[in-house]
Amino acid sequence: MSLLLVIGTLYYFKVISFTYGLLFSGGRDLLTAATDGSPVNKFSGSIIILLTGFCLIYKKIIFRKSFWKKNYLMWLIPLFCFISVSWSVEPNFTLKRSIAVLALFLFALHLTTFYKPVDLLYFIGCVIAYCALAGLLLGIVIPSHVFIEGGIRGGAFLGILADKNAGARAYAIGLAILFPYFLKKDKKSTFLMIPIFIALCLSQSASGLALAVIGISTVLYFNYYPYNKNSKYFLGQVLISLGIFLFIGLIIYLAKEFAFHLLGRNSDLTDRKIIWELLQPHLDDKPILGHGFGAFWNSVNAQDFIERWGFIGNAHNGYIETKLDGGIVFLILINSLIVFTALKTLIRIPSETTAKESSVCLAIIIMVLVANTIGHVVPNYYAIDFLILLIAMFLSLGSKNNEK
């Protein structure tokens, strides 16, 4: 079990891809790479899905009615992806990407089934810290592989986590996960937060820093909010807490916009509005069911965009990308499920353990929902934070099994 945990985490955190690229860097363009994928990714992904399926079947987990009753809503997402093959403009690509999404869901399910929430979240925080530390050490030896050279982002820290922005989002989540241990003055966790914080600052990602503030503020707020689960006013306490939290979130957002204005930075982040405007005709073309999951960027429908802008692989906005994949139906399905999970997590916070895993799960959900506005996170099987979101959602829906 532990071997699958380590290999699967390194695979989905793109550490295996980084190592492969470091040793066998190729000269393929982005479009070819997105279409074909790397051999090591295909092999690793196949092994993980086979081992994950074997573990769940061998332990007879998937044959229990109680198991499916707890998490059946989660499977609506991969199910929709597979169904979209029937109307996809590129059915072969949709089928491949649907299998990749299913594999990610199975891996997240495996983790939340065989490991305790506290241990699992702490493990993820530690992995992010070690990845940050490894990237910083490599920056001393071979800086050209972990720092951007030239351009407006020259000198920004890439690290070993896929790309600059993905890494920054992961570092923000790592800080939120380890923050409860920092509050308890745990020395190891405090030490692990140092390389994460340094990597986040070196990434030159304003959005990453904003996400870190959001995540830590969420954990801190619900760590001290005076719930009383035995009170007859419990539901009122939850609603008041939610209202206060949303108000604080609005203040943070306005402060961020004001800071961007003072610094002369573009709060829309690197011409994303132009990208979204160019994609609008394609959204209007298939508004209800979209182009099929993962199909748009590999179809002739994207050619005019690619000729004007170049191949970028996604809309740099998860909500727009979801509409391209499955239209308004897919968008409502995914976000309704995430919001439902967030509310369930909020209600469970009073009964959480001393590690505050419920408040951490809520922080992760909120951070991903925010990050999804400026990056393709949900539902992106290639995004580190989508895997972490799935883990948080499975935990919140109570899919774990105490049998080891």
Side-chain angles (χ1 to χ4, degrees), residues 227-356:
Y227 276 117
N228 181 3
K229 64 179 180 180
N230 296 320
S231 171
K232 63 179 180 180
Y233 303 110
F234 172 68
L235 181 59
Q237 289 180 327
V238 172
L239 294 176
I240 292 174
S241 176
L242 180 61
I244 295 174
F245 181 74
L246 292 176
F247 177 74
I248 294 174
L250 177 62
I251 297 298
I252 293 176
Y253 173 79
L254 294 176
K256 183 210 75 169
E257 293 294 312
F258 181 68
F260 272 118
H261 177 73
L262 288 180
L263 295 173
R265 294 283 299 275
N266 178 12
S267 62
D268 295 323
L269 301 176
T270 322
D271 298 328
R272 279 173 169 79
K273 273 193 172 181
I274 299 176
I275 296 173
W276 303 337
E277 290 173 359
L278 291 175
L279 288 173
Q280 190 59 48
H282 301 288
L283 296 172
D284 296 335
D285 184 42
K286 297 179 182 294
I288 306 300
L289 295 175
H291 298 259
F293 182 71
F296 174 76
W297 294 100
N298 294 289
S299 70
V300 294
N301 297 341
Q303 288 305 310
D304 61 331
F305 180 93
I306 294 174
E307 291 173 0
R308 295 177 63 182
W309 190 273
F311 181 79
I312 59 175
N314 64 77
H316 292 277
N317 180 301
Y319 301 103
I320 292 178
E321 190 70 23
T322 299
K323 290 181 69 176
L324 285 172
D325 286 337
I328 192 66
V329 175
F330 199 27
L331 182 67
I332 293 174
L333 171 64
I334 290 178
N335 289 286
S336 297
L337 180 57
I338 294 175
V339 171
F340 169 75
T341 307
L343 292 175
K344 188 170 182 179
T345 308
L346 179 66
I347 295 174
R348 289 180 58 178
I349 286 178
S351 58
E352 65 189 356
T353 67
T354 54
K356 305 299 180 184

Side-chain angles (χ1 to χ4, degrees), residues 39-208:
V40 70
N41 275 350
K42 292 179 179 178
F43 176 76
S44 301
S46 300
I47 294 298
I48 290 169
I49 191 172
L50 289 174
L51 289 178
T52 301
F54 171 78
C55 290
L56 293 172
I57 294 174
Y58 180 75
K59 289 291 185 178
K60 299 181 180 180
I61 300 296
I62 62 176
F63 300 115
R64 301 173 185 172
K65 291 182 179 180
S66 59
F67 168 78
W68 289 106
K69 187 177 181 180
K70 292 177 181 178
N71 62 70
Y72 69 94
L73 289 174
M74 293 290 290
W75 302 104
L76 293 176
I77 296 176
L79 177 62
F80 184 94
C81 293
F82 277 102
I83 293 176
S84 71
V85 173
S86 62
W87 67 77
S88 173
V89 295
E90 292 289 344
N92 289 333
F93 287 116
T94 297
L95 180 60
K96 291 178 182 178
R97 279 148 181 77
S98 298
I99 293 174
V101 167
L102 177 61
L104 183 67
F105 270 71
L106 287 174
F107 182 65
L109 175 65
H110 169 87
L111 296 184
T112 55
T113 299
F114 292 102
Y115 299 93
K116 294 180 180 179
V118 176
D119 297 337
L120 181 56
L121 290 172
Y122 185 72
F123 172 78
I124 293 173
C126 291
V127 170
I128 294 173
Y130 292 137
C131 287
L133 181 60
L136 293 172
L137 294 176
L138 283 174
I140 300 174
V141 182
I142 44 175
S144 61
H145 286 77
V146 294
F147 285 93
I148 297 177
E149 295 182 322
I152 61 175
R153 299 300 184 194
F157 182 68
L158 283 172
I160 66 175
L161 297 179
D163 61 46
K164 183 179 80 72
N165 293 326
R169 297 195 304 266
Y171 302 141
I173 291 176
L175 289 175
I177 291 175
L178 295 177
F179 188 69
Y181 297 93
F182 170 79
L183 293 176
K184 295 193 297 182
K185 299 180 180 180
D186 182 80
K187 293 182 179 179
K188 179 182 177 181
S189 300
T190 302
F191 175 77
L192 290 175
M193 291 177 70
I194 295 175
I196 299 179
F197 181 73
I198 295 174
L200 178 58
C201 292
L202 290 178
S203 68
Q204 299 181 18
S205 173
S207 59

